Amino acid sequence: MRRIGVTYEPRGLVEKTTSYDNATVGSGNVVNETQAVYNGFGQLTTEYQSHAGAVNTSTTPKVQYAYANGSANTIRRTSCTYPNGRVIAYSYDTSGSDSDYLSRVKEIQE
């Protein structure tokens, strides 16, 4: 790896991070790449990581994140799904508690 390039989406959030085998901008091949996808709240919803070459959103492994829909006045993360299908769920404390107000995770469940 000789160079790292970063691109941003319109809101200024990192979209792609790309490693190249040549230090000269505009030259060389992609060694590996990550790509991030965000929702309307700027929360990371999908993260692709290619270990060899550029990201292809059809075939590159990805991690996906889900969030509460806002109906309970919160948009906190509710789950994480790994490329192999493993799902991790996040639970929060009783409604009205200090931990609930702070959106502090109470339990991580598989």
Side-chain angles (χ1 to χ4, degrees):
M1 177 179 55
R2 304 290 307 246
R3 176 171 48 95
I4 294 179
V6 179
T7 61
Y8 299 87
E9 55 106 51
R11 295 172 290 180
L13 302 169
V14 172
E15 182 176 42
K16 287 186 179 182
T17 303
T18 309
S19 301
Y20 297 92
D21 64 1
N22 190 307
T24 304
V25 175
S27 299
N29 301 304
V30 174
V31 175
N32 54 48
E33 185 173 66
T34 64
Q35 181 174 337
V37 179
Y38 303 92
N39 65 17
F41 295 106
Q43 296 168 305
L44 182 63
T45 58
T46 307
E47 188 171 29
Y48 298 92
Q49 183 177 12
S50 174
H51 296 274
V55 165
N56 175 332
T57 57
S58 298
T59 60
T60 299
K62 63 186 173 187
V63 175
Q64 294 180 288
Y65 305 97
Y67 299 88
N69 63 11
S71 63
N73 202 26
T74 181
I75 54 170
R76 56 192 170 197
R77 186 175 292 171
T78 56
S79 69
C80 172
T81 304
Y82 291 97
N84 65 0
R86 177 180 175 209
V87 177
I88 303 294
Y90 304 98
S91 65
Y92 298 87
D93 211 347
T94 310
S95 181
S97 69
D98 289 342
S99 291
D100 177 57
Y101 288 129
L102 295 171
S103 291
R104 192 175 347 192
V105 174
K106 177 182 179 183
E107 188 175 52
I108 298 174
Q109 306 160 335
E110 285 192 63

